[in-house]
């Protein structure tokens, strides 16, 4: 008879110790929300030496009047998450059979929340990676080894049309041949192809992925570069034409200058000739009949010869001394 009360007391003691053995926070509340009991884990989590007598609505940050009314009225269990000091605990509220008290059982879900945060971060990173081709301003395509388009970014769809998936790259890319595709599939380095699509010029770089048995195509719009190259070639042609024109003008200027100099010299020669003629016209040859010497009269005087050098030489001054040295005498001027 004496063992039964001791056994009952021992069971009650074990039941009293049961909340303390729980690694998670456990709190007993009355219907007004006042804390009746709290185990060590609860006191440690909330950072208080004692919780008895405090209002659960003040202690639990996420509990408010509406949520507490739901705990008392709803048949379903109500769960709330509370974060403190980098820990996250979910409290599940269970009403007692007498419906006079409420138990709040806490479970540490910190690691689960961290895992969820990591999963969300990874999902966001994957989403950014998935968006990366669409952020590329140039066409980006993924092909299988047969040349079938598997994926295409927004720029590629703008260039080649919306329906790209499933089409053959050999039919889409201008200038792509079966022989070139075989070279791309067998290549270990990048193979580039220049093509004109509409009014734009593109360079498509093909990279073979030997691990995934895929071919990636990265396009770049080089229309501005091509226009600059064409303008540069045109300027080179104009520069060459200018050089040729300058050379022709130089070759034409040389004969013209020679002709100009010859004309100038000819004019000077004519002036000197006229001066010589005027000088000669002023000279009178002696009359042989008036000298009284028949021998001299019978011997004719040789004609005066004027050499070409004298014609083109500078004008000479014919004074009396020069005329007398030639055996000539000046013509007598008329008194009139």
């Amino acid at each position: 008879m004496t063992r039964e009360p001791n056994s009952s007391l021992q069971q009650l003691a074990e039941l009293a110790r049961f909340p303390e053995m729980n690694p998670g926070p456990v709190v007993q509340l009355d219907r007004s929300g006042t804390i009746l009991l709290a185990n060590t884990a609860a006191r440690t989590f909330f950072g208080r030496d004692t919780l008895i007598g405090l209002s659960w609505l003040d202690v639990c940050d996420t509990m408010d009047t509406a949520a507490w009314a739901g705990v008392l009225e709803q048949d379903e269990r109500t769960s709330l998450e509370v974060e403190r000091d980098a820990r996250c605990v979910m409290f599940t509220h269970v009403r007692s059979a007498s419906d006079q008290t409420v138990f709040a059982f806490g479970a540490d879900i910190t690691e689960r929340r961290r895992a969820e945060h990591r999963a969300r971060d990874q999902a966001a990173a994957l989403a950014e990676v998935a968006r990366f081709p669409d952020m590329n301003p140039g066409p980006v395509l993924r092909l299988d080894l047969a040349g079938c388009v598997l994926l295409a970014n927004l720029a590629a769809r703008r260039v080649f049309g919306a329906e790209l998936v499933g089409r053959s790259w050999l039919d889409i890319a201008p200038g792509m041949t079966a022989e070139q595709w075989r070279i791309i599939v067998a290549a270990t380095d990048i193979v580039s192809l220049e093509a004109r699509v509409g009014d734009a010029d593109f360079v498509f770089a093909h990279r073979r992925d030997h691990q995934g048995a895929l071919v990636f195509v990265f396009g770049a719009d080089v229309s501005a570069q091509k226009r600059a190259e064409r303008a540069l070639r045109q300027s080179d042609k104009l520069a060459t034409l200018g050089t040729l024109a300058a050379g022709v003008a130089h070759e034409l200027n040389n004969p013209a200058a020679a002709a100009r100099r010859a004309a100038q010299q000819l004019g000077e020669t004519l002036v000197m000739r006229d001066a010589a003629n005027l000088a000669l016209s002023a000279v009178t040859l002696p009359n042989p009949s008036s000298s009284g010497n028949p021998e001299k009269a019978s011997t004719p005087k040789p004609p005066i010869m004027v050499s070409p050098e004298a014609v083109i030489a500078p004008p000479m001054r014919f004074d009396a001394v020069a005329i007398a040295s030639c055996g000539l005498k000046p013509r007598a001027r008329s008194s009139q």
Side-chain angles (χ1 to χ4, degrees), residues 61-189:
D61 298 336
T62 56
M63 177 62 72
D64 54 16
T65 304
W68 180 249
V71 171
L72 298 177
E73 296 173 1
Q74 294 178 2
D75 295 333
E76 297 180 356
R77 297 177 178 179
T78 304
S79 297
L80 293 175
E81 293 184 11
V82 180
E83 293 187 6
R84 294 181 66 89
D85 299 332
R87 290 183 60 194
C88 184
V89 175
M90 178 179 288
F91 286 94
T92 302
H93 299 77
V94 181
R95 295 198 303 270
S96 64
S98 63
D99 203 24
Q100 297 300 315
T101 58
V102 177
F103 290 92
F105 299 95
D108 193 338
I109 59 173
T110 303
E111 291 300 326
R112 188 175 75 180
R113 286 290 176 261
R114 290 175 180 173
E116 291 175 355
H117 288 315
R118 288 194 295 269
R120 283 197 296 268
D121 294 341
Q122 291 175 357
L126 290 175
E128 289 298 322
V129 172
R131 288 180 61 248
F132 178 74
D134 281 335
M135 298 299 292
N136 194 322
V140 178
L141 302 97
R142 186 171 70 177
L143 318 173
D144 61 13
L145 295 184
C148 182
V149 178
L150 302 178
L151 289 175
N153 70 340
L154 181 60
R157 295 193 296 271
R158 288 175 178 173
V159 174
F160 296 106
E163 301 298 330
L164 275 179
V165 177
R167 297 176 60 187
S168 175
W169 180 241
L170 280 74
D171 298 333
I172 298 172
M176 175 62 70
T177 62
E179 179 62 26
Q180 287 177 326
W181 180 251
R182 284 193 292 269
I183 294 174
I184 292 171
V185 172
T188 58
D189 203 353

Side-chain angles (χ1 to χ4, degrees), residues 246-290:
V248 171
H250 179 70
E251 294 298 328
L252 292 176
N253 286 334
N254 286 340
R260 186 167 56 251
R261 288 193 300 272
Q264 183 179 0
Q265 292 177 357
L266 179 60
E268 294 174 355
T269 302
L270 293 176
V271 170
M272 289 187 291
R273 185 199 63 179
D274 293 341
N277 289 334
L278 291 175
L280 291 176
S281 64
V283 177
T284 302
L285 297 177
N287 189 358
S289 59
S290 62

Side-chain angles (χ1 to χ4, degrees), residues 176-209:
M176 175 62 70
T177 62
E179 179 62 26
Q180 287 177 326
W181 180 251
R182 284 193 292 269
I183 294 174
I184 292 171
V185 172
T188 58
D189 203 353
I190 297 175
V191 179
S192 297
L193 172 68
E194 293 189 8
R196 184 169 183 84
V197 183
D199 297 331
D201 296 300
F202 288 89
V203 174
F204 294 100
H206 300 74
R207 179 182 287 277
R208 166 70 190 280
D209 181 12

